[in-house]
Amino acid sequence: MDRVKPLKPFVKIYFLLIAVFFLSMVLVYCIPASWIQGNVEASLEVMENEGERPLYAFYRHSAIVDNHTDMLMYESLLPSDQYNLVQASVSINHYPRYWHGYQVVLRPLSILFQVQEVRYLGMLTFYLLFFWSAYLVAKKTGVPCAMLYVLTIASGYLGVVATCFQYLTSFYVLFAALIVLLRRYGEVPDMNVALFFFVVGMAENFFDFLTYPIITLGIPLIVLLWIRAREEGADVADNLKLTVQTSASWGFGYALTWVAKWILAAGILGVRYFWRSLSTAKYRMLGNEEEPIDRIGTIRKNLKAWMNVQDEGLITWSKVALLILVIAVILVIVKKLMDKRTVCACLPMLLVASYPYLWFLVLSNHSQIHFWYTYRAQLVALFGILMFLAGILKKKERERT
């Protein structure tokens, strides 16, 4: 009985949020299609004229704007006539395996605005949340760490991210998670961090299109590990335990929210939709004869997109290993390392930094096909390495006047 008791908050919040997700989708579908049809059709025309995958400035795979998915999102705003209100909110024009939580925002906005205005509002919201989260990172960990955070996010082509709806959702969840975490951690006694990450995983699944969800786990977790190692004196066992607990909580929240949508779709639309969703999940992990899985090739594709390497360019692990070795030697030579306990406590950050590559290995099919945006998952790797280096270095003492 004592072992079950800690799970009760997770069960309660799970069923509460699933109910909120479902009811919010039903309520937003109460908006008559006639109210948004004109703006939706005009928006689709704009995006069709731009092309499915336009390149505006950088002319690299890493800077493609995913108009194709944004058009699918807009097309889904207009429900099929064959379904009633509840069925339409689950089917999303025969695309039921995702929650499509973006509709809770996009449908009401489309009453008044076309895609140009919605993009502008999305961009403003993006930068406001980004700056707020960076301010809180600076307040909690110091300006140097905040600069590393800004550098990490900026490396994902912010100009492209801020105007593409599909790209925005994971960053919104990331920024919101950081803001809540940094405002409440240390201020709320006995904060249930595992439950917090469980909620973040659920929220990410509700809004996301399997874009680069791991950033909503990895980046907040790295910040938390840094705080515990540098400010609270946690040891490696404490931080490793926290890493396992929070990662598992996020993973269960993310996966179970997906399962809940499949069950709802099966109950409302027919059981065939559950088996279709399972079949798609299998395809994303194992591929098929037409698109066989190349797991190492998937990692290389995503690395090349992230590093702006052209199609014929090469990435060799020896160069990466050499760079890491040089940095390590420099740190040892200048003798700026923290004490052994703190250095060890920072090691779990490197484990979190490996999460994007574990994600690529598991969901290889999706990351192999859509490498030109899934590469942004590697922001976790960059941030983890930078924060690890910042964590093991001594603070520069100010000279006394």
Side-chain angles (χ1 to χ4, degrees):
M1 190 67 179
D2 291 338
R3 293 182 179 180
V4 176
K5 190 175 180 180
L7 297 178
K8 287 184 177 180
F10 292 85
V11 175
K12 289 180 180 179
I13 199 70
Y14 175 72
F15 284 106
L16 175 62
L17 284 181
I18 293 300
V20 169
F21 294 163
F22 175 65
L23 291 175
S24 65
M25 291 295 291
V26 173
L27 286 173
V28 82
Y29 266 81
C30 291
I31 299 172
S34 59
W35 290 13
I36 65 175
Q37 186 166 356
N39 283 336
V40 169
E41 290 176 350
S43 299
L44 286 169
E45 184 177 352
V46 169
M47 288 185 279
E48 286 170 1
N49 289 334
E50 292 172 339
E52 289 196 343
R53 296 186 176 94
L55 284 167
Y56 293 127
F58 301 102
Y59 300 98
R60 293 288 189 274
H61 281 140
S62 44
I64 292 174
V65 178
D66 190 11
N67 268 3
H68 173 77
T69 302
D70 280 7
M71 284 190 283
L72 285 177
M73 293 165 75
Y74 261 87
E75 289 168 356
S76 298
L77 297 178
L78 299 175
S80 172
D81 294 334
Q82 72 182 92
Y83 290 135
N84 62 35
L85 186 70
V86 174
Q87 291 172 328
S89 69
V90 174
S91 170
I92 319 292
N93 276 356
H94 308 289
Y95 204 175
R97 64 178 177 271
Y98 292 105
W99 277 94
H100 300 268
Y102 61 86
Q103 299 226 358
V104 173
V105 178
L106 197 53
R107 274 192 127 245
L109 287 177
S110 295
I111 298 173
L112 300 174
F113 305 116
Q114 296 180 11
V115 64
Q116 301 95 319
E117 292 85 6
V118 178
R119 281 174 175 169
Y120 188 74
L121 291 172
M123 179 185 66
L124 287 180
T125 304
F126 175 89
Y127 283 115
L128 286 172
L129 292 175
F130 179 35
F131 295 154
W132 188 5
S133 64
Y135 165 74
L136 291 175
V137 171
K139 187 177 178 181
K140 205 77 173 181
T141 66
V143 173
C145 289
M147 293 301 294
L148 297 180
Y149 168 67
V150 171
L151 172 64
T152 298
I153 302 300
S155 70
Y157 283 94
L158 295 195
V160 173
V161 169
T163 54
C164 181
F165 302 131
Q166 198 228 154
Y167 295 165
L168 281 173
T169 52
S170 289
F171 280 99
Y172 283 160
V173 175
L174 165 63
F175 297 153
L178 272 174
I179 290 167
V180 173
L181 177 66
L182 294 174
R183 284 176 61 86
R184 294 180 65 85
Y185 184 76
E187 305 296 328
V188 178
D190 301 321
M191 178 183 176
N192 192 332
V193 178
L195 182 61
F196 168 79
F197 278 95
F198 183 78
V199 172
V200 172
M202 292 188 70
E204 172 64 8
N205 187 280
F206 179 64
F207 289 106
D208 184 46
F209 258 126
L210 201 62
T211 314
Y212 24 76
I214 202 68
I215 68 172
T216 64
L217 165 64
I219 291 177
L221 180 52
I222 289 166
V223 172
L224 183 58
L225 291 171
W226 193 97
I227 293 171
R228 286 169 54 85
R230 291 296 298 249
E231 305 297 334
E232 299 179 3
D235 60 21
V236 63
D238 292 333
N239 268 355
L240 186 59
K241 180 180 178 182
L242 179 81
T243 300
V244 173
Q245 289 177 338
T246 53
S247 300
S249 295
W250 183 95
F252 278 116
Y254 186 82
L256 291 175
T257 304
W258 222 335
V259 172
K261 178 59 195 297
W262 298 350
I263 293 173
L264 282 170
I268 294 171
L269 302 174
V271 71
R272 66 187 183 279
Y273 285 99
F274 184 84
W275 301 117
R276 285 182 187 177
S277 298
L278 281 181
S279 176
T280 302
K282 180 181 178 182
Y283 164 65
R284 289 305 187 196
M285 290 188 286
L286 303 177
N288 57 26
E289 292 183 1
E290 289 75 24
E291 293 175 327
I293 292 295
D294 179 4
R295 300 186 191 278
I296 301 302
T298 297
I299 292 176
R300 286 180 62 87
K301 275 187 172 183
N302 280 269
L303 274 170
K304 289 169 73 173
W306 186 33
M307 296 182 180
N308 274 319
V309 176
Q310 292 300 299
D311 291 338
E312 300 304 319
L314 296 176
I315 294 175
T316 59
W317 287 107
S318 59
K319 294 178 182 177
V320 177
L322 180 62
L323 177 62
I324 294 173
L325 180 62
V326 168
I327 292 173
V329 169
I330 291 174
L331 291 175
V332 172
I333 290 174
V334 299
K335 297 181 179 180
K336 291 289 185 179
L337 294 181
M338 289 286 289
D339 58 278
K340 184 178 179 181
R341 177 189 175 94
T342 303
V343 172
C344 291
C346 291
L347 287 175
M349 296 182 198
L350 297 180
L351 173 61
V352 179
S354 71
Y355 283 5
Y357 305 104
L358 297 176
W359 185 274
F360 295 154
L361 290 173
V362 173
L363 290 170
S364 295
N365 173 267
H366 185 268
S367 303
Q368 178 177 296
I369 296 171
H370 303 294
F371 67 93
W372 42 275
Y373 65 73
T374 61
Y375 78 89
R376 290 186 178 89
Q378 295 168 108
L379 298 184
V380 174
L382 175 62
F383 190 58
I385 293 170
L386 293 176
M387 288 294 281
F388 170 76
L389 295 176
I392 64 177
L393 290 174
K394 291 181 179 179
K395 292 181 180 178
K396 185 177 181 181
E397 297 182 3
R398 295 181 179 178
E399 295 181 3
R400 296 181 179 180
T401 55

